[in-house]
Amino acid sequence: MTQHQDASRPAAVLYSPALYLGRVTVTEPAARPASLLSGTRLKALAFPALHWLIGHTPPAIALLPARLITALLRLAYALPGYRLRGACEDVARLAGSADARRIHRRFLTNALGIIDNFFRLYRQGEQAALARIRMAPEDRERLRQLIETHGGAVLAVPHNVGSAFSALRIGHNFDMLLVAKNPATPARTRIALDFYERMKLCVLMVRGGNPFELSRAMFKVLRQGKLVAATLDNQDRSAQRVAVRMFGQEVGLPGWAARVSVRMRVPMIPAWFHSSGRRLTVIVGEPLLCNDVQTAVQHYARFFEQQILADPASWAYLADKHWQALLRRAAEASAPSHHGPS
């Protein structure tokens, strides 16, 4: 088969036993300017370096750059234009808490904890890493019964600091397909695949994939009585988005997982991953079995909102510019007006 490629955007076909389809094609995105503290720039620089350090140096050395970066970000809190500070202040206002600095401090501590966990996974294996992830026995049993009763289930999860690592615990307890948007570059996708292989997870990478092929794969998995888990808190501006309310604002979220849930008549179950440094806890919400896509999406959106307000330092998207803008609008809308008498 002949595949057209833009010379300015080379594509790489990657193979891995962790991939449900066996391979994934990743196209290098066109270069765009990024600010010094942007997530794009930090990920492009930090992930390859961190991956090399984890594989080739002792823990103290491997974690040194991450500790330096978090120390700089702690100092950056004093800068008025620092976006993560603004997000912490906005979510603190929405949660009725004034301690935005503590949210920021815990967010960075959680990020360091996850890096340490991946080092433990890389050097000591999955069993050593599993010891740091807790899932209540009653939640495991509830999920098992739901899957057994309905012949499958869809687990809706957000982009938490510990989402990827917590998948290790869920995949250890259930026959699970993890649906994930792979990193934007071949280099970072290779790194992600390395860790998925070490966690012994089965992943369906969906960035730029054929929608028909991806949907067919998920239907097949659910017909086999398995669990499909997907991160579903990306803001969606496409024609396929589903409009829901979060933080008092309208936001478009992806609806494909809800459409799969409705069509296959399996429950949609939201989940959250609480981070406390290196320790993680999987929290499972209430299941919903319905025949309406908008209702299903609003169900997990409401759960995400409740958990974010209760535990904002565990949510990685505090550092996402799109969610930061929404949190700012929500915080401004919640501020009491101080109009004098007319």
Side-chain angles (χ1 to χ4, degrees):
M1 181 177 67
T2 302
Q3 182 176 356
H4 173 75
Q5 292 184 6
D6 185 335
S8 65
R9 301 177 67 193
V13 180
L14 307 181
Y15 298 85
S16 169
L19 289 167
Y20 178 76
L21 298 176
R23 68 178 188 175
V24 64
T25 301
V26 185
T27 302
E28 189 82 37
R32 291 183 298 177
S35 65
L36 182 62
L37 291 178
S38 72
T40 299
R41 181 178 293 275
L42 289 175
K43 286 185 287 188
L45 295 174
F47 283 11
L50 179 63
H51 184 245
W52 187 90
L53 288 167
I54 287 176
H56 296 87
T57 64
I61 296 176
L63 293 175
L64 188 60
R67 294 185 187 281
L68 176 60
I69 290 171
T70 54
L72 291 173
L73 291 176
R74 290 181 194 276
L75 293 175
Y77 192 86
L79 301 175
Y82 179 39
R83 293 195 313 213
L84 183 56
R85 169 186 172 172
C88 292
E89 291 173 343
D90 291 333
V91 79
R93 182 184 302 173
L94 293 169
S97 166
D99 201 351
R101 186 181 289 273
R102 180 174 180 271
I103 294 172
H104 181 262
R105 185 170 60 249
R106 285 192 56 227
F107 182 90
L108 297 178
T109 298
N110 291 341
L112 268 179
I114 291 301
I115 294 171
D116 186 82
N117 285 343
F118 276 116
F119 183 93
R120 186 181 182 95
L121 169 72
Y122 203 100
R123 290 299 182 85
Q124 300 181 37
E126 60 171 328
Q127 290 301 321
L130 275 167
R132 293 182 174 178
I133 315 167
R134 180 182 179 274
M135 186 175 184
E138 55 268 27
D139 280 345
R140 290 200 300 268
E141 178 60 22
R142 188 153 56 100
L143 265 182
R144 187 195 64 77
Q145 289 184 359
L146 285 166
I147 294 168
E148 185 177 285
T149 300
H150 299 284
V154 176
L155 195 70
V157 303
H159 284 80
N160 277 20
V161 175
S163 289
F165 195 77
S166 296
L168 174 63
R169 169 57 65 192
I170 300 172
H172 182 77
N173 286 281
F174 301 95
D175 195 350
M176 179 185 73
L177 175 67
L178 178 63
V179 183
K181 188 176 181 180
N182 49 288
T185 67
R188 284 171 45 210
T189 301
R190 289 189 188 96
I191 293 171
L193 286 172
D194 182 30
F195 284 111
Y196 285 134
E197 290 172 10
R198 293 175 186 277
M199 289 190 284
K200 299 179 181 176
L201 295 177
C202 183
V203 59
L204 181 67
M205 290 189 164
V206 298
R207 184 190 293 268
N210 182 301
F212 175 77
E213 185 180 48
L214 298 174
S215 297
R216 184 173 61 183
M218 285 182 280
F219 291 147
K220 181 180 179 180
V221 167
L222 287 170
R223 289 191 186 101
Q224 295 171 344
K226 299 181 181 180
L227 179 68
V228 171
T231 46
L232 297 173
D233 58 342
N234 288 314
Q235 289 194 32
D236 188 350
R237 292 174 173 80
S238 73
Q240 289 74 42
R241 70 185 181 278
V242 176
V244 295
R245 304 288 294 181
M246 288 186 71
F247 308 108
Q249 305 292 305
E250 182 176 294
V251 60
L253 294 183
W256 62 265
R259 293 185 183 98
V260 169
S261 170
V262 167
R263 179 172 172 179
M264 295 297 295
R265 296 296 298 163
V266 298
M268 174 70 72
I269 310 166
W272 180 261
F273 307 115
H274 168 70
S275 292
S276 180
R278 295 177 297 181
R279 299 290 173 180
L280 293 158
T281 303
V282 180
I283 299 170
V284 180
E286 292 300 317
L288 178 68
L289 185 66
C290 71
N291 57 7
D292 179 71
V293 171
Q294 203 279 337
T295 300
V297 178
Q298 185 65 74
H299 175 66
Y300 66 73
R302 186 179 300 110
F303 177 83
F304 289 170
E305 177 182 342
Q306 292 170 348
Q307 297 299 321
I308 290 165
L309 294 178
D311 180 28
S314 292
W315 191 40
Y317 271 0
L318 272 185
D320 177 80
K321 63 181 180 180
H322 302 296
W323 280 105
Q324 287 171 349
L326 185 138
L327 290 171
R328 173 53 51 90
R329 294 195 301 271
E332 291 174 347
S334 72
S337 59
H338 296 285
H339 300 297
S342 57

